[in-house]
């Protein structure tokens, strides 16, 4: 099969700006000087601020809403929003139950922080004062805060008409009976905590209505502007052409900003009602208590293996807490429904069974977060493989080497029919083990630490399916099925290049990397390439930025559009040189023939400014193109990485220090390795948070208990080690340049690697940590329990 790495390049040798160059980020010139423009920076004439009255209870009937008479004109409830439809995330998955989410609560509230009323005033402080004066008459109902209890018959119901609390149940099985007689059988329960995504910038919305254009304009920190516009149009009953959604600079998204917000619907209605612009910006307390969560998983898992550590099969029951609603376009089942298909990871096995439950509770909705289900799956599977290694008397790394898909079998269809495009997973593991110096760590363990701490080493490896295409999502029957990704390219009269793409950047450096793709194809200096993102009025339709798809899909679309621009320019250049088009080439930004050359700047100037110099039979299409792109096979790319960690654990204080950390990653051909480094480092920081710090607990009444950053702990610079990175580049055979998705991977493996290292350190004490985050309290509790059991046995 042809590898699209074999592309026609107009860059020329030694240019140093195209695919593979470690080019500094273009966006940093404005962002580091404080010249970025985020939603909170938008200032419009007549702008007023909005604050929301939010439910203080997790589950309650609304008996009344009392508004002081002096504020009646400034407060709006669901009764005012006539004609506004609830948010509906639909799916064709068999058995999926739809949850209708009113943009302002009607009948009852189903989570703490649910919107009940909207208050508008000249300033946020005044709007909050008005909100504080609104009194809610609520009849408290039994709250459901435990997803495992929520599955049991007779429990309270989040949505009464369902009859249970299950959004969706899935089952997947391949001959599990063939594994049941395996000599090694390890069974555990493993869980991961709820987390908040915690981007630097919270959500935010500015809404205004242009009566001249008869158009609603919404500025929103959105990852998927076109999809958000579609959902907004459905709720408001408006034609999509009457809505323009602009997503300016976005200070981090991670999936948190990939949905339609009730606040977006409310403010859109409000600006059309009031006739002036309105704004809402999320504060940190709103984010922590009312916004959305991620990653609350529970696994009952059994792994079967032969005595030599080779896998025979996996049997698993996985439960995911989906919260009260499924957010638009689709959120409730993205985690659990994927668990069944991705749990086998990059390993070979002949037998498999997995049953999953997406459970409704009285908590805020669970959303996709960097790694989407893979972090929990990797945590569960990789912890279990260390237990298999202990049973088999083998090094954990050796067990993985015996079960990973070998490179000579690529491309490979695994037991759940995932099509691995390329890679050398065993080599990544070998490099990680060598870099961490496993033998030296074992020697250090045998010697012991003078301060009484215990040393442990842990490894993990994962695969990340990215850039999912039509064939993957069509069967889900949800409102965001990706098709051909499009890009518009235009040479300007002075020889610059404008690119319009429908994806959006919220930290991925796309203004730089897409310019590098354009340089690769046309030879234009990246400083002369202008990238336009995040505006539904100016960019082609796209499902947006999610699933590590942007460079594969938008990069491929930009390359396709630039290739067509280059071909048109080459033909015009040949005419100007009076050469046969077959005798000229486009290289280093100019069309070259035997007896001369003409630059793209000169060609563009002629097309726009001196058309009289063009021959009569010139292509009338000119120097502006919109082109679409799909990979040869759109089942996704598979990037991967092996992580290795060395930790020191104080068994008396429960403190964990990361002494060394190694990452060996393979994202196919890297468009900009420096950008990839940044993505991996950022993901590692988030993975460390998942492993050791971040947790959003709820009490029995559904109240969130980490409502400030004093309670919700995030890793800082002193908690994130100077990790060592090793890049492998195995091109995908299906994509432009051979690139793969890479943006999410850094966050997937750290919890498993760190947990395995902690367990390795504490195993001689009889301690086993099967829950994240691994906090000092949990370590000390487990150590004391083990010591107590030892004394009892003695």
């Amino acid at each position: 099969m042809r590898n699209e790495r074999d592309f026609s390049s107009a860059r020329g040798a030694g240019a140093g700006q195209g695919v593979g160059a470690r080019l500094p980020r273009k966006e940093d010139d404005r962002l580091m000087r404080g010249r970025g423009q985020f939603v909170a920076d938008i200032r419009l004439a007549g702008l007023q601020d909005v604050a929301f009255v939010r439910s203080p209870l997790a589950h309650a009937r609304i008996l009344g809403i009392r508004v002081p008479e002096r504020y009646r004109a400034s407060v709006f409830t669901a009764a005012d929003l006539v004609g506004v439809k609830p948010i509906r995330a639909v799916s064709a998955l068999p058995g999926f139950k739809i949850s209708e989410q009113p943009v302002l609560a009607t009948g009852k509230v189903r989570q703490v922080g649910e919107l009940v009323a909207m208050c508008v005033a000249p300033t946020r402080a005044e709007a909050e004062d008005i909100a504080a004066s609104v009194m809610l008459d609520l009849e408290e109902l039994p709250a459901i805060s435990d997803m495992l209890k929520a599955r049991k018959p007779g429990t309270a119901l989040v949505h009464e008409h369902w009859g249970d609390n299950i959004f969706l149940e899935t089952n997947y099985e391949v001959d599990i009976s063939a594994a049941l007689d395996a000599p090694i059988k390890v069974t555990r329960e493993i869980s991961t905590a709820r987390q908040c995504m915690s981007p630097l910038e919270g959500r935010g919305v500015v809404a205004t209505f242009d009566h001249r254009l008869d158009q609603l304009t919404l500025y929103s920190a959105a990852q998927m502007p076109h999809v958000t516009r579609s959902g907004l149009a459905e709720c408001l009953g408006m034609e999509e052409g009457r809505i323009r959604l602009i997503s300016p600079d976005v200070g981090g998204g991670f999936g948190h900003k990939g949905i339609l917000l009730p606040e977006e619907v409310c403010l859109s209605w409000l600006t059309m009602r009031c006739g002036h612009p309105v704004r809402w910006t999320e504060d940190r307390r709103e984010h922590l208590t009312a916004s959305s969560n991620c990653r609350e998983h529970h696994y009952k898992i059994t792994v079967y293996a032969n005595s030599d550590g080779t896998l025979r099969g996996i049997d698993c029951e996985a439960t995911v807490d989906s919260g009260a609603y499924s957010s638009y376009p689709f959120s409730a089942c993205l985690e659990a429904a994927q668990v069944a298909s991705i749990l086998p990871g990059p390993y070979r096995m002949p037998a498999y069974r997995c049953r999953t439950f997406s459970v409704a509770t009285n908590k805020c909705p669970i959303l996709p977060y960097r790694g989407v289900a893979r972090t929990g799956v990797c945590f569960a599977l990789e912890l279990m493989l260390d237990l298999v290694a202990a049973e088999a008397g083998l090094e954990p790394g050796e067990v993985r080497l015996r079960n990973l898909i070998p490179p000579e079998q690529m491309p490979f269809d695994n037991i759940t029919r995932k099509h691995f495009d390329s890679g050398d997973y065993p080599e990544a593991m070998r490099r990680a083990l060598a870099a961490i110096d496993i033998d030296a760590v074992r020697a250090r363990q045998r010697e012991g630490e003078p301060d009484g701490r215990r040393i442990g080493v842990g490894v993990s490896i994962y695969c990340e399916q990215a850039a999912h295409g039509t064939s993957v999502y069509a069967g889900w029957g949800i409102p965001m099925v990706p098709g051909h990704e499009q890009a518009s390219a235009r040479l300007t009269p002075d020889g610059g290049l404008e690119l319009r793409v429908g994806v959006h950047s919220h930290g991925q450096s796309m203004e730089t990397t897409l310019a590098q793709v354009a340089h690769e194809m046309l030879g234009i200096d990246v400083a002369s390439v202008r990238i336009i993102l995040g505006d539904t009025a100016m960019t082609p339709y796209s499902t947006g930025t999610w699933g590590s798809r942007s460079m594969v899909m938008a990069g491929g679309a930009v390359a396709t559009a630039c290739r067509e621009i280059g071909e048109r320019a080459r033909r015009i250049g040949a005419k100007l040189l009076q050469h046969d088009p077959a005798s000229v080439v486009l290289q280093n930004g100019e069309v070259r023939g035997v007896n001369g050359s003409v630059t793209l700047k000169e060609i563009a100037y002629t097309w726009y400014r001196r058309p009289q110099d063009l021959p009569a039979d010139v292509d009338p299409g000119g120097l502006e193109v919109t082109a679409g792109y799909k990979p040869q096979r759109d089942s996704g790319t598979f990037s991967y990485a092996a992580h290795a960690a060395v930790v020191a654990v104080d068994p008396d204080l429960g403190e964990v220090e990361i002494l060394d950390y190694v990452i060996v990653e393979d994202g196919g051909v890297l468009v900009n390795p420096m950008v990839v480094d940044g993505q991996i480092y950022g993901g590692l920081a988030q993975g460390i948070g998942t492993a050791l710090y971040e947790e959003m607990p709820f009490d029995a009444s559904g109240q969130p208990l980490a409502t400030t950053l004093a309670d919700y702990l995030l890793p800082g610079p002193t908690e994130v080690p100077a990790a060592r990175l090793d890049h492998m580049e195995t091109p995908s055979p299906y994509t432009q340049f051979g690139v793969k998705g890479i943006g999410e991977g850094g966050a997937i493996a750290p919890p498993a690697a760190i947990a395995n290292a902690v367990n390795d350190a504490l195993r001689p004490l009889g301690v086993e940590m099967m829950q994240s985050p691994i906090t000092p309290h949990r370590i000390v509790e487990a150590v004391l329990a083990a010591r107590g059991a030892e004394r009892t046995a003695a």
Side-chain angles (χ1 to χ4, degrees), residues 36 53 136 172 178 191 212 248 255 257 302 328 342 371 417 451 458 462 479 486 540 563 599 625 673 718:
V53 178
L136 302 181
Y172 195 103
S191 61
R212 181 180 67 84
K257 297 174 182 174
T302 300
Y328 184 96
I342 65 177
R417 298 192 294 275
D451 60 4
Y462 70 90
Q486 292 184 307
R563 184 183 290 113
T599 66
V625 170
T718 58

Side-chain angles (χ1 to χ4, degrees), residues 121-178:
T123 68
R124 173 65 180 249
E126 291 173 277
E128 288 183 352
D129 287 344
I130 295 172
S133 73
V134 176
M135 302 299 293
L136 302 181
D137 186 3
L138 302 176
E139 177 190 357
E140 189 167 9
L141 299 172
I144 306 151
S145 60
D146 185 321
M147 60 181 170
L148 298 181
K149 291 181 181 178
R151 286 176 43 189
K152 296 179 179 179
T155 190
L157 299 178
V158 179
H159 303 277
E160 285 88 348
H161 63 285
W162 287 8
D164 59 23
N165 290 311
I166 309 299
F167 274 102
L168 181 69
E169 178 183 345
T170 68
N171 293 278
Y172 195 103
E173 181 173 352
V174 178
D175 194 20
I176 191 62
S177 61

